[in-house]
Amino acid sequence: MTTPAGRGRPRAFDREAALEQATRLFWTKGYEATSIADLTEVMGIGAPSLYAAFGSKEKLYVEALHYYGDNYQAMVWGRFFSAGTAREAVESFLLDSAATLTGCVVDIPRGCMVTLSSVGSEGHSELGELVRIGRAAALDRLEARLGRAVAEGELPASIDIHALGRFVQTVQSGMSILARDGASRAELEAVADVAMLGWDARTGNRDGTGT
Amino acid sequence: MTTPAGRGRPRAFDREAALEQATRLFWTKGYEATSIADLTEVMGIGAPSLYAAFGSKEKLYVEALHYYGDNYQAMVWGRFFSAGTAREAVESFLLDSAATLTGCVVDIPRGCMVTLSSVGSEGHSELGELVRIGRAAALDRLEARLGRAVAEGELPASIDIHALGRFVQTVQSGMSILARDGASRAELEAVADVAMLGWDARTGNRDGTGT
DNA sequence: CGAATTATATATCGATCGATGCAGAAATCA
DNA sequence: TGATTTCTGCATCGATCGATATATAATTCG
């Protein structure tokens, strides 16, 4: 059913697998440093097939960003969304980030593809805006969860939701850079621990139990 | 005296000013995204003059990194080194980072050139190692100051110096990314405040006075 | 099997990359 | 001023960039 009627030769390579390889390469090297030759090599196809299947390098990068979001973001945000309290959500977010960004959960490149993406520095302003939006979405998620916690009475209404959200975002962003420099999962988890101490102090929870 | 004897035409352009412009461009766009044509334009010289004065693009980048360290790092590390206590040192480091990384002190690009440098992804492994060393040096400075604080009795010997150092480094690294995304100085200062609360909780100082 | 259709591989496009050769312009010393 | 030295602008180098035209190989339907 996915192939309508189509006479003639069907697609010969696995588009999803090729996209995954492209995603990992963009993830590792960044947009500008990744050439079409690099891509065709890891994707196992020729340049014409790449352009037939994905349109252009920019469009391929956009698809890679979506592939990344669909397949890897849950490793960091999964427990965040299912947690019962904002504190558990944030702690899970940071601890799962520590594990994921160091490639300890599955074999993936170190650091966050969205966080480390420095596209948009040059002419590719559209792509730069895209990853910038991705980073802004993370802050929105954090602040929304904090707002809910205030509404539910978990957090006092006096706290600065924006500042706390920015803080968590800052720590997680910094984790990506440290992960790229070789910091271990344990080191990043220790960073998350210290960050949560700041959380407790900020929110008035001083024993660290989170309740 | 700077010009030894030299017959013939002396240097016609200001090498230092040209280097500053090159530094700002590398700082803003990164190594790979900056072309020779971009450089010659902002430096106000031709390509042959650039190569005669700096040797190559890589060597120019190395000089730009040194220029950056010599001229801008003090804005972030100055009060860190002169502070009487480790807590004041770290707090100054983060607050001065908030101001500097948002371009509020002087007109400079947002974010830290060393932190945001994503060189080394590709064949330029030497440059990547260079900026990686720069980032490691920041961690060393932080840990050395914490170690001194333990030796002087400011901090208990039980604290995890490495974890605290990594934490501060993480926050400052994350600040660069947020600054690039347009976060304001006030936002980054609020982040620094929350981070210091984590510091106080970690080190047993619960009133935030630091003494 | 033959006709029709489609993906692939080879080769190459113009543009730009980092880097230079060359000749003229400019400045200093005798 | 003239000889010397050095820097600069123009043109261009080979290599590689992203992207394609062309032609062959491969597959399906009639």
Side-chain angles (χ1 to χ4, degrees):
Chain A
M1 196 57 74
T2 52
T3 307
R7 283 206 292 187
R9 180 177 184 172
R11 186 178 301 279
F13 67 92
D14 187 338
R15 190 180 192 277
E16 194 81 357
L19 178 56
E20 181 186 346
Q21 294 305 316
T23 301
R24 294 175 65 97
L25 197 59
F26 277 134
W27 190 349
T28 303
K29 306 181 63 170
Y31 177 76
E32 314 219 32
T34 302
S35 69
I36 298 294
D38 295 331
L39 290 167
T40 55
E41 182 180 353
V42 300
M43 296 168 83
I45 61 177
S49 300
L50 188 155
Y51 282 93
F54 300 99
S56 70
K57 185 185 177 185
E58 289 202 7
K59 290 179 181 175
L60 174 58
Y61 186 78
V62 173
E63 285 208 47
L65 274 180
H66 282 108
Y67 184 90
Y68 175 81
D70 294 340
N71 294 276
Y72 301 108
Q73 297 259 56
M75 297 171 60
V76 162
W77 291 98
R79 292 206 297 161
F80 175 87
F81 285 121
S82 64
T85 67
R87 191 192 186 279
E88 285 176 28
V90 170
E91 185 170 36
S92 298
F93 173 69
L94 292 180
L95 288 178
D96 290 348
S97 293
T100 303
L101 298 177
T102 50
C104 290
V105 182
V106 295
D107 181 34
I108 51 177
R110 283 174 164 260
C112 171
M113 180 179 179
V114 176
T115 301
L116 293 175
S117 179
S118 55
V119 193
S121 305
E122 201 176 7
H124 310 276
S125 55
E126 302 174 10
L127 296 182
E129 185 65 13
L130 197 60
V131 294
R132 215 188 63 82
I133 288 174
R135 292 192 281 256
L139 178 62
D140 289 340
R141 283 194 283 270
L142 290 169
E143 292 186 0
R145 189 62 186 84
L146 297 177
R148 192 184 120 194
V150 170
E152 294 174 347
E154 179 192 347
L155 297 180
S158 60
I159 74 161
D160 186 342
I161 287 179
H162 188 65
L164 257 187
R166 279 291 199 198
F167 171 72
V168 176
Q169 184 190 23
T170 303
V171 172
Q172 207 244 2
S173 298
M175 279 184 176
S176 279
I177 295 179
L178 268 67
R180 271 293 164 88
D181 279 349
S184 69
R185 171 181 179 174
E187 283 180 298
L188 293 195
E189 286 176 340
V191 167
D193 288 340
V194 181
M196 289 312 297
L197 289 171
W199 168 278
D200 293 330
R202 186 64 159 191
T203 59
N205 175 6
R206 299 237 153 176
D207 55 10
T209 59
T211 50
Chain B
M1 195 60 73
T2 52
T3 307
R7 282 208 293 190
R9 180 178 183 173
R11 185 176 302 279
F13 67 93
D14 187 337
R15 191 182 192 276
E16 194 80 356
L19 178 56
E20 180 184 347
Q21 294 303 317
T23 302
R24 294 175 64 98
L25 197 58
F26 278 133
W27 189 349
T28 302
K29 306 181 62 170
Y31 177 76
E32 314 219 33
T34 304
S35 69
I36 298 295
D38 295 331
L39 289 167
T40 55
E41 182 180 354
V42 300
M43 295 167 82
I45 61 176
S49 300
L50 188 155
Y51 283 91
F54 300 99
S56 69
K57 185 185 176 185
E58 288 203 7
K59 289 179 182 174
L60 173 58
Y61 186 78
V62 173
E63 285 209 47
L65 273 181
H66 282 108
Y67 184 90
Y68 174 82
D70 294 340
N71 294 277
Y72 300 108
Q73 297 259 56
M75 297 170 60
V76 162
W77 291 99
R79 291 205 298 161
F80 174 88
F81 285 121
S82 63
T85 67
R87 189 190 188 282
E88 285 176 29
V90 169
E91 185 170 37
S92 298
F93 173 68
L94 291 180
L95 288 177
D96 290 347
S97 293
T100 304
L101 298 178
T102 51
C104 291
V105 181
V106 296
D107 181 34
I108 52 177
R110 285 175 163 258
C112 170
M113 180 180 179
V114 176
T115 300
L116 294 176
S117 178
S118 55
V119 195
S121 306
E122 201 176 6
H124 310 276
S125 55
E126 302 174 10
L127 296 182
E129 184 66 13
L130 197 60
V131 294
R132 215 188 62 82
I133 289 174
R135 293 192 282 256
L139 178 62
D140 289 341
R141 283 193 284 270
L142 290 169
E143 292 186 1
R145 189 61 185 85
L146 296 177
R148 191 184 121 194
V150 169
E152 293 174 348
E154 178 192 347
L155 297 179
S158 60
I159 72 160
D160 187 342
I161 287 178
H162 187 65
L164 258 185
R166 280 291 197 196
F167 172 73
V168 176
Q169 183 191 24
T170 303
V171 172
Q172 205 244 2
S173 297
M175 279 183 175
S176 280
I177 295 179
L178 269 65
R180 271 292 165 89
D181 279 348
S184 70
R185 172 180 179 173
E187 283 181 298
L188 293 195
E189 287 175 340
V191 167
D193 289 340
V194 182
M196 290 313 296
L197 290 172
W199 167 278
D200 293 331
R202 186 66 160 188
T203 59
N205 176 6
R206 300 234 152 178
D207 56 8
T209 58
T211 48

